[in-house]
Structure formats: C-alpha cells, structure tokens
C-alpha cells in the first residue's frame, strides 16, 4: 500500500509522542507521496522515524487526526477493533443503569476515533461524521456497527457547522437499516423521554447532562425532605430543551417547574414528555422566551425559586469568542443569583470548550460579587461518564458546571 507521508518539523513532535490526536499545519514540514484529502497517512519525524498514523485533510487547520501511535495498518479490522473497544467501554455505564436505553457509544477523539460520534437511542443508532476522514469511512463504519450491534437502523446527523472547517457540507439521512420513527421513546433513569433523532438538536438529545439531571432529582428530594419552612418547591429550568431537567425536578418532589426555552418545538416535546411521565400539567409551565429577557423581567418582579438550573447553549465556538461569552455567562448567572431563595441552589453550566472550568468558575464568582449574595460550591459538575475524556485530550472536557448553595 503506497501511503502519504507527513513529515513533522524538528522540535514539534512532542505533543504527538504524548498522544495528542491533532496535528496542526504549523507542525508539518512536508507532505510526501501525494495523498488525496481524507486518506490515511503515516506521520514521521524529520529523520523519517515513525510517529503515528492518521487521516489527512489539507483544508482543515487540523491537518492530521491521529488514529494510532503504533506502526499498524488501518484496515477494516482495525476500525472494528476500535469500535468494539469503545462499545465495551460503556459496560460500566450499562451495568449501573440496566434499564436505560440511550447511551453515547463513541465519543470521537476521547475514544481514539477522532471525528466520529455514535449515540444509541433504543433500537436506533445516530452517527455523526465530523471530519473528512470519517466521511470517507462512514459507510464501512455503518456496516460494522450493524454487524456489531444489530440496530434497526443507523441515522446520520452530520448536519453540524464544524464540518465547514473540513470543507464538508451538512448531511443527514438513513445510513443503514430502516428509517426511524419521527419520535423515539427512550428510558433514562426510569424516566421516559421522546427523542427526535431526525430534527432534534445534536443527535436528538443532550445525553451529556444525564448525571446532572439525576443530581437535580437528588437535590430536590433532599430539599423537599429537610426544609421544614418550605411550602412549595419551585424549580426554574432555563434553556429547558425537551424538559429533561424539569422532569427530574418533578420526580424529586418539586411542586412546580417553570421551563424556559426559545424553541417552540422543544417546548412542545417537553410538554409531551411531562405527560408521558404522568406528571399533572398543573405542576409545570412551558414558556417560550429569550432567557436573558425572561430573567431580567423575573428579577424586576422579585420572583424567587428554590432551585434554578441554567444550561445555556455554547456561547464560545473558539478562543476569539471567549470574552463575549464571558459577558453572557456573567449576565445570566448574576440574574440567577438574584432569583434564588436564600438556602436554595443554583446549578449552572457552560458547554463551551473554549471556556475552561477555571475561567467559568471565575465568571460565576464575578456574577456572585455583583449580586451581593453568598454561595458555596457543593459540587463541580461535568459531562456524563459515557462521554469520557481521553487524558491526552483535555479539549474533550467541554461541559463544566457548578452546584451552588446560595444564601
Ligand atoms: N438542558 C437541556 C439542554 C439545553 S440545550 C437538556 O438537559 O436537555 C440549550 C437550549 O437553549 C436549546 O433548547 C435552545 O433552544 C435554547 N436556547 C438557546 N438560546 C436561547 C435563548 N437565548 N433563550 C432561550 N433559549 C435558548
């Protein structure tokens, strides 16, 4: 097999040796062998010694994504072995949550399969091909997944902006097997949720917040049980999407949940999800609004909640947007602090990879200082464990949050 060779500049091999999966154009001295974009290439140091093997895309700033640091061929058997390893890595999660039917099976770089995301929703799989290298292999990957997991079908949701950076346009549709029903019911921690894998956000649902939703239920249970002054446990679920956190709040004994989101479709599905779990409609409100405006209004009216969840979309898509994102997070959290009852809780998140956990904590601290309130960190929060982070790839830890007790 004649393979393209990527030669790394002298002194730039350290991150590769340390198994960071990305090689930027600046680290590359030369490209030999005339590879075609998307091809598997061999990466060597400036003297020609083997460093790694991956796939190449000259259109992307990340020119090579590494698949292996061993001198082994990237064959169908290699992809099969790596998919099996990723799937096997979910055994711990499945063992602990035997009734759950939705799980992330492949978490891209963090499962050493850069650019590939695979989520399971009941009998269907959803695949995202985020890079040209995966785009080129996706049919074969879908065949392997059919063989390994025998799902009813595999639906592709590669309709994401990041593909533009790889010179790819968005695509979605059936990759293998049967087309999915318009809504699929999944079970998550004994709640039933309808997921729209064709038209919903990401692959249909925010699986990454699952453990934090379970924590919210616990917070509500404890609060309802131990707060003797409490008359009605009220929860504000900001950026509610299809109501996940709200369901868990009711499941934890909250009397009243206000779900706020800009998306009418998401709120309609949220309402359907509340009914599906047999929660009386008079325990919840579904408000279509811009959360920033809504919070300003609520603060002006002096509204108060026992527990607030604030789970906004990604504000910073790159390092250049961090400052503006920080202002957004500060404004949100300042208004959240104003609306928490003394002794209540704020669960606040950022899913911007470009905003580190440390920076996020500083932003929330800035908001607290302006609010004149006091708060304690009860827990540092992160993405669910079926979204593991490769230790060599800190970029994988994109979701960060704080559970705060506010006085
Ligand atoms: N907490 C949810 C996921 C939230 S995703 C869960 O656990 O499933 C972010 C949500 O924010 C999306 O549903 C999106 O429609 C909504 N959104 C984005 N910008 C908004 C804004 N300015 N005001 C209100 N909702 C917004």
């Amino acid at each position: 097999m004649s393979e393209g060779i990527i030669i790394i500049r002298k002194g730039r091999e350290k991150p590769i040796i340390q198994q960071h999966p990305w090689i930027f154009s600046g680290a590359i001295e030369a490209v030999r062998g005339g590879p075609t974009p998307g091809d598997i290439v061999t990466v060597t140091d400036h003297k020609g010694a083997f460093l790694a093997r991956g796939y190449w895309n000259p259109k992307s700033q990340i020119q090579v994504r590494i698949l292996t640091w061993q001198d082994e061929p990237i064959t169908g058997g290699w992809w099969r072995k790596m998919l099996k390893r990723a799937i096997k890595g979910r055994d711990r999660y499945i063992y602990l949550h035997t009734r759950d039917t939705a799980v992330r099976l492949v978490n891209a770089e963090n499962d050493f399969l850069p650019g590939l995301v695979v989520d399971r929703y009941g009998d269907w799989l959803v695949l995202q091909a985020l890079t040209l290298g995966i785009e080129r292999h996706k049919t074969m990957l879908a065949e392997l997944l059919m063989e390994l997991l025998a799902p009813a079908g595999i639906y592709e949701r590669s309709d994401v902006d990041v593909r533009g950076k790889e010179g790819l346009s968005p695509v979605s549709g059936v990759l293998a097997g049967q087309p999915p029903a318009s809504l699929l019911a999944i079970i998550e921690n004994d709640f039933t949720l309808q997921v729209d894998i064709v038209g919903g956000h990401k692959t249909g649902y925010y699986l990454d917040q699952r453990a934090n939703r379970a924590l919210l239920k616990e917070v509500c249970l404890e609060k309802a049980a131990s707060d003797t002054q409490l008359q009605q446990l009220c929860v504000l679920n900001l950026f509610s999407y299809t109501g996940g956190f709200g369901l868990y709040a009711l499941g934890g004994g909250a009397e009243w949940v206000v779900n706020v989101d800009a998306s009418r479709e998401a709120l309609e599905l949220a309402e359907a999800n509340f009914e599906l779990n047999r929660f009386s409609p008079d325990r919840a409100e579904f408000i279509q609004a811009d959360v920033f405006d809504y919070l300003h209004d609520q603060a002006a009216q002096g509204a108060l909640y026992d527990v607030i969840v604030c789970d906004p979309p990604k504000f910073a898509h790159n390092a250049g947007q961090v400052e503006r994102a920080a202002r957004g997070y500060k404004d949100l959290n300042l208004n959240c602090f104003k609306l928490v009852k003394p002794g209540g809780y704020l669960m606040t998140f950022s899913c911007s990879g470009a905003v580190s956990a440390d920076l996020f904590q500083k932003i929330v601290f800035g908001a607290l200082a302006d609010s004149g309130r006091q708060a304690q960190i009860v827990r540092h929060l992160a993405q669910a464990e079926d979204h593991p982070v490769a230790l060599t790839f800190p970029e994988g830890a994109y979701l960060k949050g704080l559970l705060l007790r506010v006085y």
Side-chain angles (χ1 to χ4, degrees), residues 239-252:
F239 306 97
S240 67
Y241 190 50
T242 55
F245 276 104
L247 279 179
Y248 281 69
L250 289 187

Side-chain angles (χ1 to χ4, degrees), residues 201 206 209 213 239-241 245 261-263 289-291 311 313:
H201 295 181
Y206 291 86
Q209 285 286 26
R213 287 190 281 266
F239 306 97
S240 67
Y241 190 50
F245 276 104
D261 201 282
S263 159
D290 179 281
V291 164
D311 181 25

Side-chain angles (χ1 to χ4, degrees), residues 188 193 201-202 204-210 213 237-246 260-264 266-267 287-294 309-315 332 349 351:
E188 179 189 277
L193 284 122
H201 295 181
K202 302 223 285 190
Y205 183 55
Y206 291 86
L207 288 171
D208 54 356
Q209 285 286 26
R210 184 198 305 104
R213 287 190 281 266
N237 180 20
L238 300 169
F239 306 97
S240 67
Y241 190 50
T242 55
F245 276 104
V260 186
D261 201 282
S263 159
R264 170 67 13 220
L267 288 167
I287 297 174
Q288 184 180 14
D290 179 281
V291 164
F292 289 87
D293 298 343
Y294 184 79
V309 178
C310 183
D311 181 25
K314 199 194 271 188
F315 287 165
L332 271 182
F349 297 97
C351 62

Side-chain angles (χ1 to χ4, degrees), residues 184-301:
L184 295 176
I186 59 154
I187 295 173
E188 179 189 277
N189 291 316
D190 292 336
F191 293 96
T192 306
L193 284 122
Q194 291 199 304
V195 175
D196 176 1
I197 67 175
V198 174
H201 295 181
K202 302 223 285 190
T203 61
Y205 183 55
Y206 291 86
L207 288 171
D208 54 356
Q209 285 286 26
R210 184 198 305 104
N212 298 322
R213 287 190 281 266
L215 177 64
L216 175 69
K217 180 175 164 184
E218 253 178 57
V219 167
C220 291
L221 282 170
E222 173 273 318
K223 186 95 184 126
S226 58
D227 191 337
T228 46
Q229 319 246 295
L230 193 68
Q231 303 196 318
Q232 240 202 356
L233 181 66
C234 294
V235 176
L236 178 59
N237 180 20
L238 300 169
F239 306 97
S240 67
Y241 190 50
T242 55
F245 276 104
L247 279 179
Y248 281 69
L250 289 187
E255 290 289 332
W256 177 245
V257 178
V258 179
N259 301 284
V260 186
D261 201 282
S263 159
R264 170 67 13 220
E265 299 85 63
L267 288 167
E268 276 166 11
L269 202 47
E271 211 164 338
N273 281 333
F274 277 56
E275 273 169 34
L276 202 60
N277 289 276
R278 305 213 165 82
F279 290 123
S280 156
D282 41 286
R283 288 175 68 189
E285 235 181 306
F286 302 89
I287 297 174
Q288 184 180 14
D290 179 281
V291 164
F292 289 87
D293 298 343
Y294 184 79
L295 286 177
H296 283 289
D297 292 351
Q298 290 279 295
Q301 288 169 26

Side-chain angles (χ1 to χ4, degrees), residues 3 34 74 101 129 160 172 205 303 331 334 357:
E3 244 183 21
I74 307 298
T101 60
V160 283
S172 52
Y205 183 55
D331 184 41
L334 171 57

